[in-house]
Amino acid sequence: MAEDAPRRQPTLDEVAERAGVSRSVASRALNNAPHVSRAKREAVERAVRQLGYVPNPTARALATRQTGAAALVVSGEDPSIFADPFFAQVIVGASAALEEADLHLMLCLAASDRGRKRVAELLRSRGADGAMLMALREDDPLTRVAEKAQIPVVFGGRPVGTTPRWYVDVDNVGGARKATEHLLSRGLTRVAAICGRLDTEAGRARYRGYRDAMLAAGLDPLPPQEGDFTEHSGAAAMAALLANRPEVEGVFAAGDNMAVGALRTLRKAGRQVPADVAVVGFDDLSVSRVSDPPLTTVHQPIEALGREMARMLVALVNGQDPTALILPTRLVVRSSA
């Protein structure tokens, strides 16, 4: 009589599915790692008993190296950057997604050589289960550090000059094109652009969208008036535009904060918006709804950007191979244009 075929051993994925938790949570629960709630730990233990799961010793050894945390690293010079409405929404989205996977969020600011060295050590020493990198500039040393990281890394926005394997970005070119086309649809021809930093991919991509729309309409795009995504820089850029291009009748600002600064300068100069100069921003931050006048802008799903970055990172931590993602943008028409 033939012997029965050996029974297939249940997998960790099956334990996680039976317990109603993610694979990473199941792994940490089995290895008595921190940051797993009692309810989820008990659900995993119950699933193990029901399925007869026996942990793989090698996998167990690897799993015990998990920290239960993921890092959000921002390359910037000002610690107050985390209070910026844009990054605040990214943090909300990322935190919510990591909470679902029982991972804690670490915030890191690479604002100096010392700060960058600490981040590099974090990526090399597996001081977190994974990392999300944002606001990288051209030739940012963190891009090279990420290539050698010993943990999964997801980029929020693409770095200048390279396309990493795992990133989440928004349709910067398409959104800027929509903004410019809206100004042109009003019959305006003398349209300028206040772009973000040109050593960032977002700054360059949004200027490309403006340029593409102008060329498609048979108009010469004006040289970019560069800002740094702050209200102050938008005000200064608008002042320079009025001095050098007093005939300007439409402005695309590549960020709502810069657009609000432009509105302030126009008001001081006695220019009516939109009668004299129409203004369109980019982001759809809360300030765009309370500005005077309320700002026509390009909505980008900022909270979803943070959430999808975190979900991609969790997938990588769990051994999956997700694909890069570009989120859509849409025009929100208000009173400024």
Side-chain angles (χ1 to χ4, degrees):
M1 183 175 181
E3 294 184 2
D4 292 338
R7 181 174 177 269
R8 183 182 68 82
Q9 290 295 317
T11 66
L12 180 59
D13 286 322
E14 291 170 335
V15 170
E17 183 178 0
R18 176 69 65 92
V21 300
S22 70
R23 190 180 192 277
S24 61
V25 170
S27 175
R28 291 202 300 278
L30 287 172
N31 291 284
N32 295 317
H35 314 308
V36 180
S37 68
R38 179 177 178 181
K40 291 181 179 179
R41 195 180 298 276
E42 291 176 349
V44 171
E45 292 170 353
R46 192 161 51 246
V48 167
R49 290 193 302 269
Q50 292 171 351
L51 294 172
Y53 174 75
V54 178
N56 180 293
T58 302
R60 176 185 287 272
L62 290 172
T64 55
R65 299 179 67 181
Q66 293 183 334
T67 66
L72 175 62
V73 181
V74 177
S75 182
E77 300 170 352
D78 185 357
S80 67
I81 193 170
F82 287 119
D84 182 287
F86 176 87
F87 286 103
Q89 289 187 49
V90 169
I91 291 169
V92 168
S95 181
L98 292 176
E99 186 176 348
E100 293 175 359
D102 273 3
L103 288 171
H104 285 279
L105 177 63
M106 301 167 54
L107 299 179
C108 304
L109 181 65
S112 62
D113 287 341
R114 181 181 180 186
R116 284 186 285 272
K117 287 179 181 178
R118 292 178 63 185
V119 170
E121 180 61 24
L122 176 78
L123 300 184
R124 280 195 297 264
S125 66
R126 295 178 179 265
D129 292 341
M132 298 165 282
L133 302 188
M134 294 196 71
L136 300 187
R137 298 177 185 171
E138 188 173 17
D139 297 326
D140 196 309
L142 286 184
T143 304
R144 294 186 293 276
V145 169
E147 294 172 352
K148 302 176 182 178
Q150 298 300 307
I151 58 176
V153 174
V154 172
F155 287 80
R158 285 161 288 185
V160 173
T162 183
T163 301
R165 186 171 180 180
W166 297 295
Y167 67 86
V168 181
D169 205 350
V170 300
D171 184 9
N172 288 301
V173 173
R177 187 187 303 116
K178 292 173 191 173
T180 308
E181 288 172 346
H182 178 72
L183 290 167
L184 298 175
S185 72
R186 293 172 53 91
L188 310 180
T189 57
R190 295 185 289 273
V191 176
I194 298 175
C195 64
R197 296 184 62 116
L198 291 174
D199 59 356
T200 66
E201 180 57 27
R204 293 185 181 186
R206 293 177 192 178
Y207 181 72
R208 285 200 301 273
Y210 156 81
R211 183 195 61 199
D212 292 349
M214 293 290 285
L215 291 173
L219 299 170
D220 292 329
L222 296 179
Q225 190 70 50
E226 188 173 357
D228 62 5
F229 295 108
T230 64
E231 182 176 338
H232 173 76
S233 72
M238 190 70 244
L241 273 174
L242 290 179
N244 299 322
R245 303 278 183 173
E247 75 281 5
V248 67
E249 53 188 5
V251 173
F252 163 59
D256 284 350
N257 290 326
M258 294 192 298
V260 169
L263 292 177
R264 177 157 51 87
T265 294
L266 288 167
R267 191 180 307 114
K268 288 182 178 179
R271 300 288 187 97
Q272 297 295 312
V273 177
D276 299 325
V277 181
V279 178
V280 178
F282 197 115
D283 287 330
D284 198 20
L285 301 176
S286 58
V287 68
S288 67
R289 295 184 283 277
V290 298
S291 61
D292 182 21
L295 187 65
T296 292
T297 187
V298 175
H299 173 84
Q300 63 164 321
I302 304 172
E303 191 171 321
L305 174 66
R307 183 172 62 249
E308 295 302 330
M309 284 169 52
R311 286 178 175 171
M312 186 175 291
L313 185 63
V314 169
L316 288 167
V317 170
N318 289 339
Q320 301 169 27
D321 187 13
T323 57
L325 181 63
I326 296 180
L327 302 174
T329 57
R330 58 182 171 87
L331 186 70
V332 179
V333 178
R334 298 193 179 100
S335 303
S336 68

mmCIF file with all atom_site columns, all heavy atoms in Angstrom, residues 117-136:
data_model
loop_
_atom_site.group_PDB
_atom_site.id
_atom_site.type_symbol
_atom_site.label_atom_id
_atom_site.label_alt_id
_atom_site.label_comp_id
_atom_site.label_asym_id
_atom_site.label_entity_id
_atom_site.label_seq_id
_atom_site.pdbx_PDB_ins_code
_atom_site.Cartn_x
_atom_site.Cartn_y
_atom_site.Cartn_z
_atom_site.occupancy
_atom_site.B_iso_or_equiv
_atom_site.pdbx_formal_charge
_atom_site.auth_seq_id
_atom_site.auth_comp_id
_atom_site.auth_asym_id
_atom_site.auth_atom_id
_atom_site.pdbx_PDB_model_num
ATOM 1   N N   . LYS A 1 117 ? 25.166 62.029 7.836  1.00 0.00 ? 117 LYS A N   1
ATOM 2   C CA  . LYS A 1 117 ? 25.951 60.882 8.298  1.00 0.00 ? 117 LYS A CA  1
ATOM 3   C C   . LYS A 1 117 ? 25.102 59.981 9.198  1.00 0.00 ? 117 LYS A C   1
ATOM 4   O O   . LYS A 1 117 ? 25.204 58.746 9.138  1.00 0.00 ? 117 LYS A O   1
ATOM 5   C CB  . LYS A 1 117 ? 27.196 61.359 9.046  1.00 0.00 ? 117 LYS A CB  1
ATOM 6   C CG  . LYS A 1 117 ? 28.263 61.951 8.140  1.00 0.00 ? 117 LYS A CG  1
ATOM 7   C CD  . LYS A 1 117 ? 29.462 62.442 8.940  1.00 0.00 ? 117 LYS A CD  1
ATOM 8   C CE  . LYS A 1 117 ? 30.514 63.061 8.022  1.00 0.00 ? 117 LYS A CE  1
ATOM 9   N NZ  . LYS A 1 117 ? 31.668 63.595 8.788  1.00 0.00 ? 117 LYS A NZ  1
ATOM 10  N N   . ARG A 1 118 ? 24.274 60.589 10.029 1.00 0.00 ? 118 ARG A N   1
ATOM 11  C CA  . ARG A 1 118 ? 23.410 59.791 10.911 1.00 0.00 ? 118 ARG A CA  1
ATOM 12  C C   . ARG A 1 118 ? 22.397 59.001 10.099 1.00 0.00 ? 118 ARG A C   1
ATOM 13  O O   . ARG A 1 118 ? 22.117 57.840 10.394 1.00 0.00 ? 118 ARG A O   1
ATOM 14  C CB  . ARG A 1 118 ? 22.695 60.707 11.912 1.00 0.00 ? 118 ARG A CB  1
ATOM 15  C CG  . ARG A 1 118 ? 23.618 61.337 12.938 1.00 0.00 ? 118 ARG A CG  1
ATOM 16  C CD  . ARG A 1 118 ? 22.875 62.272 13.860 1.00 0.00 ? 118 ARG A CD  1
ATOM 17  N NE  . ARG A 1 118 ? 21.862 61.573 14.647 1.00 0.00 ? 118 ARG A NE  1
ATOM 18  C CZ  . ARG A 1 118 ? 21.004 62.187 15.453 1.00 0.00 ? 118 ARG A CZ  1
ATOM 19  N NH1 . ARG A 1 118 ? 21.021 63.512 15.546 1.00 0.00 ? 118 ARG A NH1 1
ATOM 20  N NH2 . ARG A 1 118 ? 20.137 61.497 16.143 1.00 0.00 ? 118 ARG A NH2 1
ATOM 21  N N   . VAL A 1 119 ? 21.857 59.624 9.055  1.00 0.00 ? 119 VAL A N   1
ATOM 22  C CA  . VAL A 1 119 ? 20.914 58.912 8.194  1.00 0.00 ? 119 VAL A CA  1
ATOM 23  C C   . VAL A 1 119 ? 21.623 57.783 7.457  1.00 0.00 ? 119 VAL A C   1
ATOM 24  O O   . VAL A 1 119 ? 21.092 56.669 7.329  1.00 0.00 ? 119 VAL A O   1
ATOM 25  C CB  . VAL A 1 119 ? 20.248 59.880 7.200  1.00 0.00 ? 119 VAL A CB  1
ATOM 26  C CG1 . VAL A 1 119 ? 19.457 59.104 6.147  1.00 0.00 ? 119 VAL A CG1 1
ATOM 27  C CG2 . VAL A 1 119 ? 19.334 60.849 7.936  1.00 0.00 ? 119 VAL A CG2 1
ATOM 28  N N   . ALA A 1 120 ? 22.837 58.052 6.965  1.00 0.00 ? 120 ALA A N   1
ATOM 29  C CA  . ALA A 1 120 ? 23.597 57.017 6.266  1.00 0.00 ? 120 ALA A CA  1
ATOM 30  C C   . ALA A 1 120 ? 23.855 55.827 7.186  1.00 0.00 ? 120 ALA A C   1
ATOM 31  O O   . ALA A 1 120 ? 23.736 54.668 6.765  1.00 0.00 ? 120 ALA A O   1
ATOM 32  C CB  . ALA A 1 120 ? 24.916 57.599 5.757  1.00 0.00 ? 120 ALA A CB  1
ATOM 33  N N   . GLU A 1 121 ? 24.195 56.097 8.424  1.00 0.00 ? 121 GLU A N   1
ATOM 34  C CA  . GLU A 1 121 ? 24.420 55.020 9.386  1.00 0.00 ? 121 GLU A CA  1
ATOM 35  C C   . GLU A 1 121 ? 23.141 54.243 9.648  1.00 0.00 ? 121 GLU A C   1
ATOM 36  O O   . GLU A 1 121 ? 23.155 53.015 9.776  1.00 0.00 ? 121 GLU A O   1
ATOM 37  C CB  . GLU A 1 121 ? 24.978 55.600 10.694 1.00 0.00 ? 121 GLU A CB  1
ATOM 38  C CG  . GLU A 1 121 ? 25.245 54.569 11.776 1.00 0.00 ? 121 GLU A CG  1
ATOM 39  C CD  . GLU A 1 121 ? 26.270 53.517 11.364 1.00 0.00 ? 121 GLU A CD  1
ATOM 40  O OE1 . GLU A 1 121 ? 27.095 53.806 10.477 1.00 0.00 ? 121 GLU A OE1 1
ATOM 41  O OE2 . GLU A 1 121 ? 26.226 52.418 11.926 1.00 0.00 ? 121 GLU A OE2 1
ATOM 42  N N   . LEU A 1 122 ? 22.021 54.949 9.708  1.00 0.00 ? 122 LEU A N   1
ATOM 43  C CA  . LEU A 1 122 ? 20.722 54.306 9.897  1.00 0.00 ? 122 LEU A CA  1
ATOM 44  C C   . LEU A 1 122 ? 20.442 53.316 8.762  1.00 0.00 ? 122 LEU A C   1
ATOM 45  O O   . LEU A 1 122 ? 19.992 52.191 8.988  1.00 0.00 ? 122 LEU A O   1
ATOM 46  C CB  . LEU A 1 122 ? 19.618 55.358 9.959  1.00 0.00 ? 122 LEU A CB  1
ATOM 47  C CG  . LEU A 1 122 ? 18.176 54.854 10.063 1.00 0.00 ? 122 LEU A CG  1
ATOM 48  C CD1 . LEU A 1 122 ? 17.884 54.427 11.491 1.00 0.00 ? 122 LEU A CD1 1
ATOM 49  C CD2 . LEU A 1 122 ? 17.190 55.931 9.628  1.00 0.00 ? 122 LEU A CD2 1
ATOM 50  N N   . LEU A 1 123 ? 20.730 53.729 7.535  1.00 0.00 ? 123 LEU A N   1
ATOM 51  C CA  . LEU A 1 123 ? 20.466 52.872 6.379  1.00 0.00 ? 123 LEU A CA  1
ATOM 52  C C   . LEU A 1 123 ? 21.447 51.712 6.294  1.00 0.00 ? 123 LEU A C   1
ATOM 53  O O   . LEU A 1 123 ? 21.101 50.634 5.811  1.00 0.00 ? 123 LEU A O   1
ATOM 54  C CB  . LEU A 1 123 ? 20.534 53.695 5.090  1.00 0.00 ? 123 LEU A CB  1
ATOM 55  C CG  . LEU A 1 123 ? 19.558 54.872 4.967  1.00 0.00 ? 123 LEU A CG  1
ATOM 56  C CD1 . LEU A 1 123 ? 19.675 55.524 3.600  1.00 0.00 ? 123 LEU A CD1 1
ATOM 57  C CD2 . LEU A 1 123 ? 18.127 54.423 5.204  1.00 0.00 ? 123 LEU A CD2 1
ATOM 58  N N   . ARG A 1 124 ? 22.662 51.940 6.757  1.00 0.00 ? 124 ARG A N   1
ATOM 59  C CA  . ARG A 1 124 ? 23.680 50.873 6.697  1.00 0.00 ? 124 ARG A CA  1
ATOM 60  C C   . ARG A 1 124 ? 23.517 49.859 7.818  1.00 0.00 ? 124 ARG A C   1
ATOM 61  O O   . ARG A 1 124 ? 23.756 48.671 7.630  1.00 0.00 ? 124 ARG A O   1
ATOM 62  C CB  . ARG A 1 124 ? 25.084 51.476 6.765  1.00 0.00 ? 124 ARG A CB  1
ATOM 63  C CG  . ARG A 1 124 ? 25.599 52.042 5.467  1.00 0.00 ? 124 ARG A CG  1
ATOM 64  C CD  . ARG A 1 124 ? 27.106 52.268 5.528  1.00 0.00 ? 124 ARG A CD  1
ATOM 65  N NE  . ARG A 1 124 ? 27.446 53.260 6.542  1.00 0.00 ? 124 ARG A NE  1
ATOM 66  C CZ  . ARG A 1 124 ? 27.635 54.554 6.283  1.00 0.00 ? 124 ARG A CZ  1
ATOM 67  N NH1 . ARG A 1 124 ? 27.504 54.997 5.046  1.00 0.00 ? 124 ARG A NH1 1
ATOM 68  N NH2 . ARG A 1 124 ? 27.948 55.394 7.242  1.00 0.00 ? 124 ARG A NH2 1
ATOM 69  N N   . SER A 1 125 ? 23.119 50.321 8.995  1.00 0.00 ? 125 SER A N   1
ATOM 70  C CA  . SER A 1 125 ? 23.112 49.470 10.184 1.00 0.00 ? 125 SER A CA  1
ATOM 71  C C   . SER A 1 125 ? 21.772 48.810 10.450 1.00 0.00 ? 125 SER A C   1
ATOM 72  O O   . SER A 1 125 ? 21.590 48.190 11.482 1.00 0.00 ? 125 SER A O   1
ATOM 73  C CB  . SER A 1 125 ? 23.511 50.308 11.412 1.00 0.00 ? 125 SER A CB  1
ATOM 74  O OG  . SER A 1 125 ? 22.516 51.293 11.674 1.00 0.00 ? 125 SER A OG  1
ATOM 75  N N   . ARG A 1 126 ? 20.837 48.960 9.513  1.00 0.00 ? 126 ARG A N   1
ATOM 76  C CA  . ARG A 1 126 ? 19.493 48.409 9.692  1.00 0.00 ? 126 ARG A CA  1
ATOM 77  C C   . ARG A 1 126 ? 18.845 48.974 10.967 1.00 0.00 ? 126 ARG A C   1
ATOM 78  O O   . ARG A 1 126 ? 18.188 48.246 11.722 1.00 0.00 ? 126 ARG A O   1
ATOM 79  C CB  . ARG A 1 126 ? 19.526 46.888 9.764  1.00 0.00 ? 126 ARG A CB  1
ATOM 80  C CG  . ARG A 1 126 ? 19.992 46.218 8.476  1.00 0.00 ? 126 ARG A CG  1
ATOM 81  C CD  . ARG A 1 126 ? 20.043 44.705 8.628  1.00 0.00 ? 126 ARG A CD  1
ATOM 82  N NE  . ARG A 1 126 ? 20.457 44.053 7.406  1.00 0.00 ? 126 ARG A NE  1
ATOM 83  C CZ  . ARG A 1 126 ? 19.595 43.569 6.508  1.00 0.00 ? 126 ARG A CZ  1
ATOM 84  N NH1 . ARG A 1 126 ? 18.309 43.669 6.722  1.00 0.00 ? 126 ARG A NH1 1
ATOM 85  N NH2 . ARG A 1 126 ? 20.056 42.965 5.421  1.00 0.00 ? 126 ARG A NH2 1
ATOM 86  N N   . GLY A 1 127 ? 19.034 50.282 11.173 1.00 0.00 ? 127 GLY A N   1
ATOM 87  C CA  . GLY A 1 127 ? 18.421 50.918 12.335 1.00 0.00 ? 127 GLY A CA  1
ATOM 88  C C   . GLY A 1 127 ? 16.931 51.104 12.193 1.00 0.00 ? 127 GLY A C   1
ATOM 89  O O   . GLY A 1 127 ? 16.262 51.570 13.114 1.00 0.00 ? 127 GLY A O   1
ATOM 90  N N   . ALA A 1 128 ? 16.384 50.767 11.025 1.00 0.00 ? 128 ALA A N   1
ATOM 91  C CA  . ALA A 1 128 ? 14.945 50.766 10.774 1.00 0.00 ? 128 ALA A CA  1
ATOM 92  C C   . ALA A 1 128 ? 14.668 49.638 9.795  1.00 0.00 ? 128 ALA A C   1
ATOM 93  O O   . ALA A 1 128 ? 15.578 49.118 9.141  1.00 0.00 ? 128 ALA A O   1
ATOM 94  C CB  . ALA A 1 128 ? 14.483 52.105 10.208 1.00 0.00 ? 128 ALA A CB  1
ATOM 95  N N   . ASP A 1 129 ? 13.405 49.236 9.701  1.00 0.00 ? 129 ASP A N   1
ATOM 96  C CA  . ASP A 1 129 ? 13.052 48.172 8.758  1.00 0.00 ? 129 ASP A CA  1
ATOM 97  C C   . ASP A 1 129 ? 13.053 48.667 7.317  1.00 0.00 ? 129 ASP A C   1
ATOM 98  O O   . ASP A 1 129 ? 13.150 47.881 6.377  1.00 0.00 ? 129 ASP A O   1
ATOM 99  C CB  . ASP A 1 129 ? 11.674 47.596 9.093  1.00 0.00 ? 129 ASP A CB  1
ATOM 100 C CG  . ASP A 1 129 ? 11.678 46.840 10.407 1.00 0.00 ? 129 ASP A CG  1
ATOM 101 O OD1 . ASP A 1 129 ? 12.762 46.462 10.865 1.00 0.00 ? 129 ASP A OD1 1
ATOM 102 O OD2 . ASP A 1 129 ? 10.587 46.634 10.975 1.00 0.00 ? 129 ASP A OD2 1
ATOM 103 N N   . GLY A 1 130 ? 12.932 49.976 7.132  1.00 0.00 ? 130 GLY A N   1
ATOM 104 C CA  . GLY A 1 130 ? 12.939 50.566 5.799  1.00 0.00 ? 130 GLY A CA  1
ATOM 105 C C   . GLY A 1 130 ? 12.910 52.073 5.925  1.00 0.00 ? 130 GLY A C   1
ATOM 106 O O   . GLY A 1 130 ? 12.740 52.622 7.025  1.00 0.00 ? 130 GLY A O   1
ATOM 107 N N   . ALA A 1 131 ? 13.083 52.757 4.805  1.00 0.00 ? 131 ALA A N   1
ATOM 108 C CA  . ALA A 1 131 ? 13.130 54.224 4.836  1.00 0.00 ? 131 ALA A CA  1
ATOM 109 C C   . ALA A 1 131 ? 12.437 54.802 3.615  1.00 0.00 ? 131 ALA A C   1
ATOM 110 O O   . ALA A 1 131 ? 12.400 54.198 2.541  1.00 0.00 ? 131 ALA A O   1
ATOM 111 C CB  . ALA A 1 131 ? 14.576 54.713 4.893  1.00 0.00 ? 131 ALA A CB  1
ATOM 112 N N   . MET A 1 132 ? 11.878 56.002 3.800  1.00 0.00 ? 132 MET A N   1
ATOM 113 C CA  . MET A 1 132 ? 11.284 56.798 2.731  1.00 0.00 ? 132 MET A CA  1
ATOM 114 C C   . MET A 1 132 ? 12.074 58.100 2.642  1.00 0.00 ? 132 MET A C   1
ATOM 115 O O   . MET A 1 132 ? 12.236 58.777 3.656  1.00 0.00 ? 132 MET A O   1
ATOM 116 C CB  . MET A 1 132 ? 9.808  57.081 3.030  1.00 0.00 ? 132 MET A CB  1
ATOM 117 C CG  . MET A 1 132 ? 8.948  55.828 3.125  1.00 0.00 ? 132 MET A CG  1
ATOM 118 S SD  . MET A 1 132 ? 7.317  56.131 3.900  1.00 0.00 ? 132 MET A SD  1
ATOM 119 C CE  . MET A 1 132 ? 7.791  56.208 5.653  1.00 0.00 ? 132 MET A CE  1
ATOM 120 N N   . LEU A 1 133 ? 12.564 58.436 1.455  1.00 0.00 ? 133 LEU A N   1
ATOM 121 C CA  . LEU A 1 133 ? 13.385 59.633 1.265  1.00 0.00 ? 133 LEU A CA  1
ATOM 122 C C   . LEU A 1 133 ? 12.614 60.665 0.463  1.00 0.00 ? 133 LEU A C   1
ATOM 123 O O   . LEU A 1 133 ? 12.020 60.347 -0.564 1.00 0.00 ? 133 LEU A O   1
ATOM 124 C CB  . LEU A 1 133 ? 14.687 59.299 0.529  1.00 0.00 ? 133 LEU A CB  1
ATOM 125 C CG  . LEU A 1 133 ? 15.623 58.261 1.159  1.00 0.00 ? 133 LEU A CG  1
ATOM 126 C CD1 . LEU A 1 133 ? 16.932 58.218 0.393  1.00 0.00 ? 133 LEU A CD1 1
ATOM 127 C CD2 . LEU A 1 133 ? 15.883 58.564 2.626  1.00 0.00 ? 133 LEU A CD2 1
ATOM 128 N N   . MET A 1 134 ? 12.657 61.930 0.925  1.00 0.00 ? 134 MET A N   1
ATOM 129 C CA  . MET A 1 134 ? 11.921 63.004 0.256  1.00 0.00 ? 134 MET A CA  1
ATOM 130 C C   . MET A 1 134 ? 12.769 64.262 0.152  1.00 0.00 ? 134 MET A C   1
ATOM 131 O O   . MET A 1 134 ? 13.723 64.458 0.909  1.00 0.00 ? 134 MET A O   1
ATOM 132 C CB  . MET A 1 134 ? 10.633 63.334 1.034  1.00 0.00 ? 134 MET A CB  1
ATOM 133 C CG  . MET A 1 134 ? 9.603  62.227 1.060  1.00 0.00 ? 134 MET A CG  1
ATOM 134 S SD  . MET A 1 134 ? 8.000  62.864 1.560  1.00 0.00 ? 134 MET A SD  1
ATOM 135 C CE  . MET A 1 134 ? 7.569  63.820 0.107  1.00 0.00 ? 134 MET A CE  1
ATOM 136 N N   . ALA A 1 135 ? 12.355 65.136 -0.792 1.00 0.00 ? 135 ALA A N   1
ATOM 137 C CA  . ALA A 1 135 ? 12.935 66.473 -0.972 1.00 0.00 ? 135 ALA A CA  1
ATOM 138 C C   . ALA A 1 135 ? 14.407 66.419 -1.342 1.00 0.00 ? 135 ALA A C   1
ATOM 139 O O   . ALA A 1 135 ? 15.183 67.291 -0.964 1.00 0.00 ? 135 ALA A O   1
ATOM 140 C CB  . ALA A 1 135 ? 12.732 67.325 0.292  1.00 0.00 ? 135 ALA A CB  1
ATOM 141 N N   . LEU A 1 136 ? 14.799 65.395 -2.095 1.00 0.00 ? 136 LEU A N   1
ATOM 142 C CA  . LEU A 1 136 ? 16.194 65.307 -2.523 1.00 0.00 ? 136 LEU A CA  1
ATOM 143 C C   . LEU A 1 136 ? 16.470 66.294 -3.648 1.00 0.00 ? 136 LEU A C   1
ATOM 144 O O   . LEU A 1 136 ? 15.651 66.490 -4.534 1.00 0.00 ? 136 LEU A O   1
ATOM 145 C CB  . LEU A 1 136 ? 16.508 63.889 -3.001 1.00 0.00 ? 136 LEU A CB  1
ATOM 146 C CG  . LEU A 1 136 ? 16.331 62.773 -1.976 1.00 0.00 ? 136 LEU A CG  1
ATOM 147 C CD1 . LEU A 1 136 ? 16.851 61.470 -2.544 1.00 0.00 ? 136 LEU A CD1 1
ATOM 148 C CD2 . LEU A 1 136 ? 17.027 63.098 -0.667 1.00 0.00 ? 136 LEU A CD2 1
#
